[in-house]
Amino acid sequence: GGTGDEFGNSLLQTLYGYSIGGASNSNDGDVSGNHGNDDAWIIQIDFKGKLLSEHSYGGSNYEQVNWMVKSNVGNIIFGAVTGSNDGDVTGNHGGDDAWMVKINAFGKIIWQKAIGGSNDDEPTGAIQEMFANNRWGNEGCDVCDERYMTANISIAEKLAG
């Protein structure tokens, strides 16, 4: 970590150790590339806990990784919440949006998409088993139910490719 606050709330076992996703508001110590406020932060550690790599993702407002899944070719897809519309984030619809991001094994963004309406939207569950099981938070959202399911299926098809 750094001199600010860091936390992890998502864990994946990888070939070389673990990927841990959460958030950080530091830009020193073990944390680099912060875009402002809290960024989504993913670290890679080996099986003994040694830091292998770290990456900050986001914009000038708040981002946080809520969940991560591995693809069959070693990419990571993570669901985060974002309040930004700059930096790594494009297409925010207002308030906090759910933010779907696909990164390669080296942490480079392959694809990103902000999803939501003018109220706050947040991804609260992972797309599992070929992205078949979807569960999204909808408290106070204005794009729910069938529209959420349609968006999830469309995104899952794009990400699986």
Side-chain angles (χ1 to χ4, degrees):
T3 56
D5 296 319
E6 288 78 37
F7 68 88
N9 61 5
S10 185
L11 176 72
L12 285 177
Q13 185 171 349
T14 66
L15 190 58
Y16 303 105
Y18 298 96
S19 294
I20 302 169
S24 173
N25 63 14
S26 298
N27 203 20
D28 58 7
D30 296 322
V31 184
S32 63
N34 185 286
H35 297 87
N37 207 337
D38 284 8
D39 273 359
W41 191 48
I42 297 179
I43 65 171
Q44 310 288 329
I45 60 172
D46 68 16
F47 289 109
K48 294 181 180 180
K50 179 183 174 192
L51 182 66
L52 301 174
S53 68
E54 62 83 27
H55 298 278
S56 297
Y57 303 96
S60 57
N61 287 324
Y62 178 82
E63 286 78 36
Q64 169 189 313
V65 175
N66 287 2
W67 53 262
M68 302 184 301
V69 293
K70 291 186 296 188
S71 75
N72 57 356
V73 294
N75 297 320
I76 292 175
I77 300 160
F78 68 85
V81 60
T82 182
S84 299
N85 200 24
D86 57 7
D88 296 325
V89 184
T90 59
N92 186 297
H93 299 91
D96 289 342
D97 274 2
W99 189 37
M100 302 281 292
V101 183
K102 183 178 187 178
I103 59 174
N104 67 17
F106 303 103
K108 181 177 179 190
I109 294 176
I110 297 170
W111 184 88
Q112 68 85 37
K113 176 127 179 116
I115 304 164
S118 58
N119 289 329
D120 290 346
D121 304 281
E122 184 172 348
T124 58
I127 300 173
Q128 305 267 342
E129 300 296 327
M130 292 302 293
F131 313 102
N133 302 318
N134 298 289
R135 181 173 59 87
W136 288 72
N138 62 4
E139 182 178 333
C141 83
D142 49 9
V143 187
C144 302
D145 302 325
E146 292 95 325
R147 289 174 62 190
Y148 252 123
M149 184 58 77
T150 301
N152 283 339
I153 291 167
S154 174
I155 291 164
E157 289 170 351
K158 181 163 182 102
L159 291 174

